[in-house]
Amino acid sequence: MTAIRSNVADYREAARRFLPRFAFAYLEGGAENEITLRRNRAAFEALAFEPRVLRDVSTLDTRTTLAGQAAAWPAVVGPTGINGLFRRAAEEALARAAQKAGLPFALSTASTSLLEDVRNVTEGDLWLQLYVQQDRRIAENLMARARAAKFSTLMLTVDTPVLGQRDDYARTGFAMPVRWTPALLWDLATHPRWLAAVGIHGQPRLVNLSRSARLGAGIEDRTGTRTHRMDLTLNWRDVAWLRRHWQGRILLKGIQGASDARLAFAHDVDGVVLSNHGGRQLDGARSPLDLLGEVVADAPRGAEVFVDGGIRRGSDIAKAVALGARGVLLGRAPLYGLAAAGEAGVTDVLAMLHKELQTCMRLLGCPDLSALTFDLLTAHGAAAAREAAAA
């Protein structure tokens, strides 16, 4: 009998049961002591609602625009890497589910599906998340391919010159290429459903990097490109280099302070994503949600501010929008659905979050997104937003 899953947490538990320990640790884990990982979630929990009653909420409108494109609600299925660990053709499944939900899908440079294959399965809005390697011709080729495939938006990740220290990798034996140990073999043997659906097909491949680098397609070849060979010279002047190669909108993902947000807008980007990489990079960083009010207050007219990290309920999306976010990026939540039940699981997770957002808006007395304002929230984050707006 199929278990009833009523929320994202239920899908997380189903994903945990399905995945080998090393794969779930890769999905779920954070950097070092996971202070930042916990802080992301705690920031949402610290905000309390102050609803308005006796408001007409007989009709409800969650529609918005994200990076200039229409979206059914204020969320993006965000970029996540090596998703082939969870299901085959993972990015195709994520992209189709995003289109059905009326949302953009952001494809990671570290995807295990070709961007052209993703475009072939969806007519939805696609964004390219970009890592820049020492050989910048790789990034230039990725951008050219994405333009040809009609991707609308480029999202440069700026918080990953090197990988953060992730202790769970050592604890569970996660490594690419795989290092075969008795513990890993036992991990695989005790997860036969994953072996039959995923593991039997071999290691996932970072095929987009491989194609653009014109090198071997094995993940063992390309992991070095993503980490040790990342371009450590990348700096603010390189936004102009991006503009020469990308005519669409450009967002910077991984902004972790108001001063860097101001610098981003001074360099003429179209928007920023406040993000600490889901707590996977620098442990001890602030929660993006706690930065949101200050950054929004300083943003120039027309610039868009997105936020990610710790979003597990539709009410979390309402809180982010009330603090001024254009929208949120969903990372782990869709992946729980993907691992637990493939594309159907992603579709269900997105439908749950949208329904929860709608319920929350009605209970707050908000018939549309413009009614979601910071005066509906109480706590330090909302207080900071009020002060910034009054300044």
Side-chain angles (χ1 to χ4, degrees):
M1 184 174 68
T2 302
I4 296 173
R5 296 163 185 151
S6 62
N7 55 39
V8 170
D10 288 345
Y11 270 102
R12 178 189 178 277
E13 176 59 21
R16 186 191 65 79
R17 292 195 304 268
F18 173 75
L19 293 172
R21 184 166 173 256
F22 80 90
F24 187 71
Y26 171 75
L27 165 58
E28 187 72 355
E32 297 185 0
N33 295 323
E34 299 189 338
I35 296 167
T36 300
L37 182 69
R38 293 191 298 273
R39 185 173 287 159
N40 286 351
R41 186 71 208 126
F44 284 101
E45 294 173 349
L47 285 172
F49 288 119
E50 190 174 292
R52 302 293 184 264
V53 297
L54 294 176
R55 302 286 181 90
D56 182 355
V57 289
S58 56
T59 61
L60 198 71
D61 189 358
T62 62
R63 292 174 299 175
T64 187
T65 60
L66 305 174
Q69 301 291 318
W73 43 292
V76 180
V77 177
T80 49
I82 320 183
N83 292 330
L85 281 177
F86 312 130
R87 292 283 173 170
R88 297 192 70 204
E91 280 82 17
E92 289 93 331
L94 289 163
R96 281 191 296 259
Q99 182 186 3
K100 283 184 283 188
L103 304 180
F105 170 62
L107 181 75
S108 171
T109 290
S111 64
T112 52
S113 298
L114 289 171
L115 65 88
E116 292 85 358
D117 290 343
V118 174
R119 170 48 78 201
N120 285 339
V121 301
T122 179
E123 297 179 354
D125 187 22
L126 296 179
W127 300 3
L128 174 68
Q129 176 275 331
L130 186 68
Y131 291 117
V132 179
Q133 291 74 40
Q134 285 182 8
D135 184 349
R136 292 197 180 183
R137 293 174 298 177
I138 299 172
E140 290 169 0
N141 183 264
L142 274 166
M143 287 187 279
R145 289 169 53 206
R147 286 200 317 274
K150 295 183 169 51
F151 280 54
S152 71
T153 300
L154 181 73
M155 183 189 298
L156 175 70
T157 293
V158 294
D159 62 0
T160 315
V162 296
L163 287 182
Q165 173 63 35
R166 302 174 189 175
D167 296 346
D168 274 339
Y169 287 12
R171 294 190 189 107
T172 63
F174 176 79
M176 294 295 176
V178 170
R179 292 194 294 267
W180 298 104
T181 65
L184 178 59
L185 291 171
W186 176 251
D187 191 13
L188 299 179
T190 53
H191 291 84
R193 291 192 301 133
W194 179 88
L195 268 178
V198 182
I200 195 172
H201 300 286
Q203 295 186 53
R205 297 175 153 197
L206 300 186
V207 290
N208 274 312
L209 273 173
S210 299
R211 175 166 290 190
S212 285
R214 298 181 175 85
L215 296 173
I219 195 168
E220 62 275 13
D221 300 323
R222 306 310 325 138
T223 301
T225 298
R226 186 173 171 232
T227 55
H228 303 300
R229 301 178 195 172
M230 291 284 279
D231 188 350
L232 303 185
T233 71
L234 201 67
N235 62 75
W236 288 106
R237 294 187 299 274
D238 292 316
V239 175
W241 164 71
L242 289 177
R243 285 286 181 203
R244 290 197 298 273
H245 293 277
W246 188 265
Q247 285 70 55
R249 298 201 179 209
I250 294 177
L251 310 176
L252 297 189
K253 178 179 180 290
I255 298 296
Q256 298 173 76
S259 59
D260 270 356
R262 287 190 290 270
L263 272 172
F265 293 127
H267 284 80
D268 197 32
V269 301
D270 299 290
V272 296
V273 181
L274 306 182
S275 173
N276 54 40
H277 219 95
R280 296 164 71 82
Q281 283 296 99
L282 178 65
D283 203 21
R286 293 175 66 187
S287 161
L289 193 72
D290 286 339
L291 293 168
L292 184 54
E294 185 180 358
V295 171
V296 168
D298 279 349
R301 184 179 296 276
E304 296 186 338
V305 180
F306 296 84
V307 68
D308 72 7
I311 295 147
R312 299 293 183 268
R313 287 283 189 178
S315 56
D316 298 332
I317 302 171
K319 290 175 180 179
V321 173
L323 287 172
R326 169 65 68 172
V328 303
L329 271 65
L330 304 172
R332 290 181 176 91
L335 295 185
Y336 297 148
L338 178 72
E343 183 178 334
V346 183
T347 298
D348 198 26
V349 164
L350 296 179
M352 286 176 176
L353 289 171
H354 189 202
K355 181 181 179 182
E356 289 174 358
L357 172 62
Q358 293 171 306
T359 299
C360 181
M361 288 174 62
R362 282 196 160 99
L363 292 174
L364 287 171
C366 298
D368 55 40
L369 296 179
S370 67
L372 281 173
T373 53
F374 58 76
D375 58 327
L376 296 169
L377 299 172
T378 60
H380 63 279
R386 285 192 183 93
E387 292 169 5

